[in-house]
Amino acid sequence: MVRIHDTLLGRDVELEPRVPGRVSIYVCGPTVYEVPHVGHGRTALVYDVIRRYLEWRGFAVAYVSNVTNVDDRIIARAAAEGATEQEISARYEATYWAELERLGVRRPDDVPHATEFIEPMVDLIAQLVASGHAYVIEGEGVYFAVDSYGGYGELSHRRLGDLLDSAGSRVDVDERKRSPVDFALWKAAKPGEPDWDSPWGRGRPGWHIECSAMSLELLGEGFDIHGGGDDLVFPHHENERAQAEAAGHEFARHWIHSGMVMIGGEKMSKSLGNFTTLGEAIDAHGDRAFRLAVLQVHYRSQMELGDTELRAAAEAVGRLDALVRRTVAAGIAVTGVPVADDVADRFRAAMDDDFGTPGGVGVVFDTVRRANSAIDAGDEPGAARLVATVVELAGALGLEVGAGETVAERDAEIDAMVAERDAARATKDFAAADRLRDELTARGITLEDTPRGTVWHR
RNA sequence: GGUGGCGUAGCCGAGUGGCUCAGGCAAGGGUCUGCAAAACCCUCGACGUGGGUUCGAUUCCCACCGCCACCUCCA
């Protein structure tokens, strides 16, 4: 059984899906007004792995993640560049998905955009107005009356009184609101901004309402898991929940939140300007190093994710590929070999405990060592089994082992040089052999001499 | 101030009331190799501080110190 840490309850609970065997997940995606940074990459990867693991575990997963494409910052960016909001959001959304694809993050089953769901949002707001949970301020918009919903604060573990005390201390409050903590469901149109028709005049939706409406629309009442970065717990998710439940809907059964990426001990964020773009990080260290670095830290913890961490992870990825090279060089066939059950059990135990990827990764690398030992010992069946297990379990985490060019790429010219060197070695002409190896090294080729011949990789 | 969380060996980072041992990176020594590479073995070193509970605590409890996040937009 899979246990997950539920933010609402503040403890681990068994995942008992609404429909046995099927898990529905909604994860808050980015607002696309800038290129993604490594923090966005981590969050997307964390949920990608949760999705993959649940599937590996036998669940049918419905995975939805939205993109916010109407928002103050998009409008501001469009104005600054003399472009339309659609141009800005389309541009940065394209970058977002392109980078995630490089990371091997699978596309969600559905990617709703705020602008495509105006009608469900308006309907939801209308329900709230009709039931007295929301009110109109002329010329300003529609607001949610926080007082009217008794569960407010439960998700983020805040008392309404404390919220009222701190409201206004950091941000100006519109005194026409009934309570300083009330928030906008619908914002009245302003000149030059995108707007839509509504019973309250033209305008655009508030931020929180889009996720309430879209998650319910696509996944239905009482969907299983709602996730996102932990900076969204308050106010975003608190508000989403309040709106949906106040309107009479059964909202998410479980809430999960992932930790932030830190840089030099501070949260990485666009507003602080202390970010590395995701693309730069992948360029510098590779997609698998990025994935492994993320998996080596529990998803709920804050983590540093800079060059130091990525370099270390890249070295570790090299061990995975080296294992496959050694296996191939030793002539050990792995396809179709069943996994070692005891290892899979350890892996499952770690992962079932709130997606304990660091433990799972530990099991994988422990198995890498054992597999190498088995190869050294000439235990071919044992090695085959352990290597098959490594490939399988790493695959469950979305980590391809021995992928692509590192293993079996053919290159006639390099093969010829390697053959020439082998011939030189056979006649003990080591000067010539070393000269050839130096040439290859200069071209980024590393040679490994094995009992069954020389293999090379980049 | 409120809420949530964290402090583990040179670094990153799991985990557990006692059992030989997370794992990754780095460092030193060794085996293998013509030399390398890769691999394996060994070594190095830990649980913020002070109390308490206990036969025994890094693990439970209390206090303290330090750090981070959220309380405004934010993955």
Side-chain angles (χ1 to χ4, degrees), chain A residues 8 10 30 108 121 201-202 220 227 232 270 322 363:
Chain A
L8 178 62
M121 292 187 226
R202 290 191 71 81
L232 299 182
K270 290 174 190 168
V363 171

Side-chain angles (χ1 to χ4, degrees), chain A residues 102-293:
Chain A
R102 284 216 286 161
L103 271 186
V105 169
R106 287 169 48 207
R107 190 95 177 184
D109 296 312
D110 218 323
V111 180
H113 296 78
T115 53
E116 297 159 358
F117 286 80
I118 300 295
E119 205 178 307
M121 292 187 226
V122 167
D123 289 348
L124 190 56
I125 296 168
Q127 286 175 49
L128 289 168
V129 172
S131 56
H133 289 289
Y135 56 91
V136 178
I137 297 179
E138 274 317 314
E140 204 58 37
V142 182
Y143 286 81
F144 183 80
V146 166
D147 279 346
S148 73
Y149 171 65
Y152 199 79
E154 285 174 352
L155 179 66
S156 55
H157 305 281
R158 282 149 219 256
R159 279 186 294 272
L160 195 49
D162 294 337
L163 290 168
L164 288 167
D165 289 344
S166 60
S169 63
R170 294 175 68 180
V171 77
D172 289 336
V173 171
D174 184 334
E175 64 282 357
R176 285 174 298 174
K177 292 201 292 186
R178 291 185 195 163
S179 166
V181 293
D182 290 354
F183 54 90
L185 297 168
W186 187 259
K187 298 177 176 184
K190 295 198 181 107
E193 294 189 359
D195 55 17
W196 290 263
D197 271 325
S198 87
W200 317 283
R202 290 191 71 81
R204 62 189 168 97
W207 175 36
H208 315 298
I209 197 72
E210 76 174 70
C211 290
S212 305
M214 296 193 298
S215 59
L216 287 168
E217 186 80 5
L218 294 170
L219 294 172
E221 299 281 320
F223 61 92
D224 293 305
I225 298 174
H226 191 130
D230 69 11
D231 55 346
L232 299 182
V233 175
F234 189 90
H236 186 53
H237 288 168
E238 191 72 68
N239 291 355
E240 272 187 51
R241 176 173 183 263
Q243 295 160 346
E245 297 207 336
H249 294 288
E250 194 188 330
F251 208 47
R253 293 162 63 86
H254 300 293
W255 292 86
I256 59 178
H257 291 92
S258 54
M260 295 291 105
V261 168
M262 313 296 283
I263 186 156
E266 274 202 312
K267 178 180 164 184
M268 177 180 288
S269 72
K270 290 174 190 168
S271 47
L272 285 175
N274 61 348
F275 63 88
T276 307
T277 69
L278 182 55
E280 287 165 353
I282 301 172
D283 286 345
H285 303 283
D287 59 294
R288 292 143 81 214
F290 192 95
R291 180 174 287 259
L292 182 61

